[in-house]
Amino acid sequence: MRPVIQTRAITKTFGSNGTAVHALRGIDLDVEPGEFVALIGPSGSGKSTLMAILGCLDRPTGGTYTLDGEEVQGLSGRELAAIRNRKIGFIFQAYNLLPKASVLRNVELPLLYGGVGRKERRERAMHLLEQVGIPEKAMKLPGELSGGQKQRVSIARSLAAGPALLLADEPTGALDSKTGAEILELFGQLNAAGNTVMLVTHDLGIAAQARRRVEISDGLIACNEMNP
């Protein structure tokens, strides 16, 4: 099977000449289908820059990036947006839900953008809410939910388009420890069901929940190994 993520010699430089900052200095990384990988590193390590490139939110300065068989480093902004919608399910610390739309509508949005008909959208969104354990919240507004419930909505939305990669950026950062553990358990269940998950975190305890951890330090991969 082809890798979901394959980067070769990825670099990213901000500024130029005397003010240049080399955020990434040659990243080679493969993530295979069905893997659960934690991307870790302290502030300033290049972790967030790499996540933005892997999520097609930014372009590398050099090197190549292939996402689920498609080379993306040379794509236009519109093409990057299209591949994000098709290939990547994002889960953010801040949830990024539409406050005036129902939970069901929030989950339906990627399907709406994808041109899926109303009946199929609704059925698929309800199935996903059942999968993350909150079908009874379908007609609630995000403001009526707890933090953990909001993150479950975000996860359901990320799954809607059947992406090749779930990319979670500090998904438990705004949650208490008990709720965070429940969300991490849900990621484990999604991975066991065949979803490829990359979890971006600075927390070594959270990273230990993944099957493999990739540590970034000073713009380079300092560690790439299976968790015990």
Side-chain angles (χ1 to χ4, degrees):
M1 290 187 292
R2 66 192 181 198
V4 174
I5 288 172
Q6 184 175 74
T7 73
R8 292 294 181 268
I10 286 289
T11 62
K12 182 67 177 182
T13 303
F14 297 98
S16 60
N17 301 327
T19 62
V21 175
H22 302 284
L24 299 176
R25 298 188 289 142
I27 300 290
D28 293 344
L29 178 63
D30 287 0
V31 175
E32 302 297 330
E35 280 204 273
F36 187 177
V37 178
L39 178 63
I40 63 174
S43 178
S45 64
K47 174 185 85 246
S48 296
T49 301
L50 179 57
M51 187 211 73
I53 289 171
L54 296 179
C56 297
L57 297 167
D58 198 2
R59 298 181 181 86
T61 304
T64 62
Y65 174 29
T66 304
L67 173 62
D68 194 34
E70 292 189 48
E71 289 194 14
V72 299
Q73 69 275 358
L75 298 182
S76 68
R78 179 173 293 183
E79 289 168 331
L80 284 174
I83 202 169
R84 280 197 304 269
N85 290 337
R86 288 188 290 112
K87 300 283 191 181
I88 304 172
F90 290 97
I91 304 102
F92 298 102
Q93 178 178 333
Y95 320 123
N96 291 10
L97 302 176
L98 295 179
K100 295 183 179 180
S102 70
V103 162
L104 186 66
R105 185 68 169 174
N106 269 279
V107 177
E108 284 185 289
L109 278 178
L111 301 173
L112 178 64
Y113 297 147
V116 177
R118 184 174 182 275
K119 183 174 183 293
E120 184 180 348
R121 284 201 314 267
R122 180 144 298 198
E123 288 176 353
R124 203 184 302 182
M126 279 303 304
H127 172 73
L128 290 168
L129 288 172
E130 290 168 4
Q131 191 174 347
V132 300
I134 52 168
E136 74 283 358
K137 303 296 183 181
M139 303 317 296
K140 299 287 187 180
L141 293 175
E144 301 175 83
L145 306 182
S146 68
Q149 290 167 342
K150 289 176 185 176
Q151 196 58 289
R152 288 174 185 268
V153 177
S154 176
I155 292 168
R157 181 186 58 192
S158 77
L159 292 164
L165 172 68
L166 296 181
L167 187 57
D169 183 16
E170 301 282 3
T172 63
L175 305 175
D176 62 69
S177 57
K178 178 178 181 295
T179 306
E182 292 171 352
I183 293 299
L184 288 174
E185 183 179 354
L186 178 56
F187 278 116
Q189 293 168 359
L190 293 171
N191 176 245
N195 292 284
T196 306
V197 180
M198 175 167 277
L199 182 67
V200 182
T201 182
H202 68 279
D203 189 316
L204 293 177
I206 291 173
Q209 305 301 309
R211 295 184 185 178
R212 176 161 65 106
R213 68 183 184 278
V214 176
E215 182 177 356
I216 305 295
S217 178
D218 296 325
L220 294 167
I221 292 180
C223 176
N224 184 355
E225 62 185 19
M226 302 301 291
N227 277 327

